[in-house]
Amino acid sequence: SIALLAGLLAIGVFVSFPAPSRDEDNAGFYPFGRLSLVALGVGAISVGGLTDQIAVALGLILAGIVAFAGMITLDLRASKQLFPKGAFRLNGGVGLALWIVLFVSIAIAPPDIYSPLFLQTLHGLSATVAGYVAATQAFGWTFTALFVASLPLKYAPRLIVGAPLMMGVGLIGVSAMMAPGPIWMLLLMV
């Protein structure tokens, strides 16, 4: 069961990682309140997606957003923050990078999640073949990530601008080709 696997994973973590340092700066530090707000926010939004009652769903989603906002407010005031300084500012390098990662993730996730369903519904593929297409897409992402990570730092400015642009072109291409096909063209758009 999942509980057994989670327990084995926890044991593996304790065995694999060294004991925490006992320096004065980190002694007894555990951001229980802030992490609890994150857990409550995720839980509220998740349960909100399961109910059929619109008012309850909206209330739970709002409660999740309030929990996240509360966590961020507490974190900004804390002496030991969970997020790096400037994480929520658009005028700094760290904040801008984190916002780009967030928005790119939001833009990319739905096509990856729903493409097997679309391929089955729109093109009549079996679940197995649609899964193979999704796995091919995942392989393409993985290969590209490994390739880009191995490039010299001098290419970073071009990659920071070019990668989101290429992803946008790919999303437009997938949007245009998902219904009419052909399937091989969809693989090129990823």
Side-chain angles (χ1 to χ4, degrees):
S1 82
I2 293 177
L4 176 65
L5 291 175
L8 290 173
L9 180 62
I11 291 169
V13 166
F14 284 113
V15 170
S16 299
F17 289 100
S21 66
R22 296 288 175 202
D23 62 350
E24 293 296 320
D25 291 338
N26 291 323
F29 172 67
Y30 184 77
F32 182 79
R34 289 176 277 161
L35 293 177
S36 295
L37 284 173
V38 171
L40 287 172
V42 169
I45 291 172
S46 297
V47 172
L50 298 175
T51 183
D52 291 335
Q53 299 175 353
I54 299 295
V56 173
L58 289 175
L60 287 168
I61 291 169
L62 181 62
I65 292 170
V66 168
F68 284 121
M71 186 278 303
I72 290 169
T73 302
L74 289 175
D75 195 57
L76 289 173
R77 295 179 185 161
S79 61
K80 296 179 182 176
Q81 296 180 339
L82 297 174
F83 292 99
K85 292 197 183 299
F88 303 103
R89 294 187 184 134
L90 290 174
N91 61 352
V94 172
L96 187 58
L98 289 174
W99 282 105
I100 288 172
V101 168
L102 172 68
F103 289 129
V104 167
S105 298
I106 290 170
I108 292 300
D112 289 341
I113 293 169
Y114 294 108
S115 63
L117 174 66
F118 292 156
L119 291 170
Q120 291 175 63
T121 305
L122 298 173
H123 296 286
L125 297 181
S126 69
T128 304
V129 173
Y132 284 138
V133 171
T136 303
Q137 291 173 333
F139 176 77
W141 276 97
T142 303
F143 176 78
T144 304
L146 292 172
F147 173 73
V148 169
S150 68
L151 291 175
L153 199 54
K154 67 180 181 180
Y155 294 109
R158 285 180 266 181
L159 291 171
I160 289 171
V161 172
L165 291 175
M166 288 178 61
M167 292 167 72
V169 169
L171 280 173
I172 292 168
V174 167
S175 299
M177 300 306 296
M178 182 58 78
I183 293 168
W184 64 266
M185 185 67 89
L186 292 172
L187 290 173
L188 291 178
M189 297 296 161
V190 177

